[in-house]
Structure formats: structure tokens, C-alpha cells
Amino acid sequence: MESLVVPVLILLAVAAGVIVAARAVARRQATADSVPPTPAANQADLARAAAAKLSEEEHRRLYALIAQGQAMAAIKLYYEVTGDGLRASRDAVGALAAHPQPYRGPEAPPAEADDEDDVPQRFPYRYRAIASKGDVTREVSSNMLNDEIYGRIRTLARNGDREAAATALTRHSDISMKQAREFIELLDD
């Protein structure tokens, strides 16, 4: 009889643990069901609000990380700079990647249109963007491109807005729309 006491006690302890866990799960489920889901914030508005929290240097660094596909580093940077929570930082970086925002200083009024600058800025260097898939490689070299602008173009292409990406690429380089479309097709990851 003594040899059965230990296994019976273990069995009773496991059963009690299962009952406690089942009650906790049921309680958590009831709490989750009673809280109405909050509507998702408009991604474009979230992106504008997130961009407003960044200085010009932070804005440039964040978009450089997004353009390089380093989402975790971008979230970490945003988290450290703004002090927002981790989930809020993840959502903000996702919105900024989906809806690229130009830097607007504290004195700059928000633009009414969602368009990029009408006249591209010319930089003192030539930027080379290279895209390849298989044995096909395309290169765009322009002094109207930089990491931030190319990052916005790649983000547009990745989000499925290839026409807008091609238009932006032709605006910031001296290539034709056909060449821009061919280049954008190679950006699929």
C-alpha cells in the first residue's frame, strides 16, 4: 500500500494543476471576449505621427535601415529614440515602411498632397542602384537618388504599388518609364 501513495499523490497534484490551468484559461478567454476590439489606427495617420517624433538624422537613419531590410534594427532605433513601447514601435515602423514620409521639421507645415517633392534635389554624388534576378541585372545611376529615396521606391515596389515606384524612379533618374518598370520588376524579393 505504501508503494502506491507516492504515485497517487503525484497524480492528484497533476490533476489539480490541470484544473487550475483550465480555470485560468477560461478566465482569460472570458476577459478577452468581454473587451471589444479596438479599431486599427489609420496606417497613414500613424506614419505621419511617427515621423513627427523623429529628428532629421533619426529619420534618415530609420529609413536607411528600412531600405536595407533591417526591420528589427529600425524598430530598435525607433524604440530607443521615442521611448514608445515595443509594440507601438513595431506598429510605427511598419506604418512608416508602408507609407513613407518625408522629413518635416518642426516649423514645416504638413503638406496637403501625399506626393513627394516636385523637383528632385541633385546631390553632389552619383548613387548606384542595382537590381538582379537570376541572370538579369539592371543598374540605375543618378545624382538625384540617395538611400532614403531608393528606400521609398523599394517600399512602394514591395507593397505592390509598382507603377508609383516606377514613376518615382523616373522622376529621380534619367531613365525611361519602360526601363524603370523593368528595374522595379527585379526588386521582387
Side-chain angles (χ1 to χ4, degrees):
M1 182 73 168
E2 285 182 27
S3 63
L4 293 177
V5 172
V6 172
V8 168
L9 288 176
I10 291 173
L11 184 61
L12 288 174
V14 168
V18 168
I19 291 171
V20 168
R23 284 185 179 173
V25 167
R27 211 173 315 130
R28 187 174 298 155
Q29 184 65 30
T31 304
D33 290 343
S34 66
V35 175
T38 57
N42 183 351
Q43 289 287 312
D45 291 339
L46 179 60
R48 277 190 282 282
K53 295 179 180 181
L54 302 172
S55 71
E56 186 172 7
E57 175 64 19
E58 295 160 350
H59 186 272
R60 186 192 59 74
R61 286 177 42 211
L62 183 80
Y63 271 108
L65 290 171
I66 290 171
Q68 294 168 4
Q70 297 179 5
M72 294 304 292
I75 292 168
K76 180 180 177 188
L77 173 67
Y78 189 87
Y79 173 78
E80 291 172 351
V81 166
T82 64
D84 287 354
L86 209 50
R87 183 172 290 163
S89 297
R90 180 201 64 195
D91 294 344
V93 169
L96 286 167
H99 302 280
Q101 300 294 311
Y103 175 74
R104 292 185 174 93
E107 70 283 345
E112 299 219 0
D114 226 11
D115 293 335
E116 295 173 23
D117 43 320
D118 292 324
V119 179
Q121 176 184 357
R122 292 199 179 267
F123 301 104
Y125 55 86
R126 289 191 72 74
Y127 184 88
R128 289 180 58 204
I130 301 172
S132 64
K133 185 183 284 184
D135 60 345
V136 178
T137 302
R138 299 278 186 265
E139 177 181 336
V140 175
S141 179
S142 173
N143 64 344
M144 296 179 281
L145 276 173
N146 63 14
D147 280 338
E148 182 180 346
I149 295 167
Y150 184 59
R152 284 189 254 158
I153 292 169
R154 285 184 55 163
T155 301
L156 286 169
R158 285 183 178 166
N159 289 336
D161 197 354
R162 293 181 178 167
E163 198 61 30
T167 302
L169 186 57
T170 57
R171 185 180 321 145
H172 291 281
S173 64
D174 296 325
I175 63 173
S176 69
M177 188 60 141
K178 180 183 177 203
Q179 292 169 325
R181 286 184 182 122
E182 291 172 356
F183 184 89
I184 296 300
E185 285 296 320
L186 297 177
L187 290 180
D188 287 340
D189 290 330

